Structures are given as structure tokens and as C-alpha cells.
Amino acid sequence: MSEPVKVTVVYYSQTGNVTQLARQIAAGAEKAGAEVRLRRVAELAPQEAIDSNEQWAANVQATADIAEATTDDVDWADAVIMGSPTRFGNVSSQLKQYIDTLGGLWFQGKLADKVYSGFAAASGKHGGNESTLLALYNSFHHFGGIVVAPGYAGEVAFANASPYGVSHFGWGTPVDESVLAAATAQAERVVNTAAALKAGRAAA
């Protein structure tokens, strides 16, 4: 019997929306048969800034049980799914700092040929979700990775209206069911693609 696909979900979330997406994607990957690691990146903001925002402080407390991401989590994985809120149309500094720690693995060629995908959140409908994902995918291309975006593959993905990756928008609003369904579909697409690649390599 073949080994399950190994998926690492790495994310940064300030007020909890990206956390909710990350948990949904991790659950979707597990449902699709993958072995999953859910990891949050280290917070860089000072404690006083966190304490000044009730939602931010609550999210930090609610995710204290989620382990911080290390380079081993990417090295271990067949597929990596990263998520971030948008920051001026780009990934957050917290996620970017983590990506920058992967240089050693990149130099050894250990980031290449894995499957990668991304998800995002922004305060407004045109608040930078797509540019954030495209910026994230720039790094994946440099890794030598295989980028698997949801596209418009099926009604669930189409309903989220984001071919680059599942996206939530709305400041302080909960993630709705159509977005959560799209997150599950994206995770399944990543797992199925990684499984096919893994099987092909084993047969070669």
C-alpha cells in the first residue's frame, strides 16, 4: 500500500480569518487521505500592538496550541499550502520572514518538485487577494515548485471567484460557507495532484 501524501499547511493570521481557512484546508487535505501538519509562522509584532487589538489578541490565544513552522515542515512535505492576509497587495512580513528561512533547503534543491498552493484574505473585495497570491507564487516558482491553483475547476471553486487560490474578504466578518467549501476543494485538488506525481515517480 502506498504512503499517504504529506501536506504542510503554513500560514499567518492576525485576527483569525486566515486561521479559519488554514484549519479548513488542513481538514480537507486529511479528508482527501493526506497526512497533514498545520503550522503557524512566528509573530513579529510587539506584544503591545497585539494587546491593542481585541481580535488579534484573541486569535493569538486561540492558536497557541498550533506549533510554529520550521524548515523541517517543508522538507518533510510532498505538498505545501501557504496562507496570508494581504499587506499592501503582498504577503505579510511574518510569512515572508518564514519563506526567507527556506534558503538552505532551496540551495540543496530540496524545495523543487513539490506541489505548492496558496490562500489569502483581505479587508475588501478588491483589497489585494489576487496580487498577494501571485506574489506568493513568485517564490514557489523560484523554489522550482509545481504550482497547483484551484482555477475554475468545478462549481465550488467558481463560486469563490478566485482562480489563484481561495480568498476571503471582509474586515471583521466571518468566513462564509462558499469560501470554506472552496478551501476544501482546493486542498483536495492539491492532494490529488501530489498523489498522482508521487505514484508516477514510484512507478518510474
Side-chain angles (χ1 to χ4, degrees), residues 24-45:
Q24 186 75 17
I25 285 171
E30 286 184 342
K31 183 180 177 182
E35 183 179 348
V36 179
R37 291 184 184 181
L38 175 61
R39 299 290 187 262
R40 59 183 172 84
V41 299
E43 179 59 81
L44 304 179

Side-chain angles (χ1 to χ4, degrees), residues 37-197:
R37 291 184 184 181
L38 175 61
R39 299 290 187 262
R40 59 183 172 84
V41 299
E43 179 59 81
L44 304 179
Q47 190 62 44
E48 55 266 29
I50 297 169
D51 293 340
S52 69
N53 183 313
E54 186 176 328
Q55 285 183 306
W56 194 352
N59 182 59
V60 169
Q61 185 175 4
T63 59
D65 62 321
I66 299 175
E68 281 191 7
T70 68
T71 57
D72 176 67
D73 294 313
V74 169
D75 190 22
W76 168 85
D78 300 306
V80 180
I81 310 174
M82 292 189 181
S84 175
T86 184
R87 294 291 182 265
F88 302 108
N90 212 321
V91 299
S92 65
S93 58
Q94 289 87 346
L95 184 62
K96 182 60 169 64
Q97 191 275 336
Y98 173 74
I99 290 171
D100 287 348
T101 70
L102 301 176
L105 292 178
W106 171 81
F107 188 76
Q108 298 173 69
K110 291 184 175 181
L111 299 180
D113 300 325
K114 297 178 186 288
V115 169
Y116 295 89
S117 198
F119 57 101
S123 58
K125 190 171 184 179
H126 299 291
N129 299 45
E130 292 184 346
S131 61
T132 296
L133 288 166
L134 291 172
L136 179 60
Y137 291 171
N138 285 337
S139 294
F140 297 163
H141 290 308
H142 280 260
F143 292 170
I146 300 164
V147 177
V148 175
Y152 290 121
E155 291 183 15
V156 172
F158 197 90
N160 188 232
S162 180
Y164 307 104
V166 65
S167 298
H168 166 75
F169 68 87
W171 182 261
T173 60
V175 181
D176 67 36
E177 290 301 318
S178 67
V179 177
L180 293 175
T184 298
Q186 182 171 341
E188 290 173 348
R189 185 175 171 87
V190 167
V191 172
N192 291 339
T193 303
L197 287 168

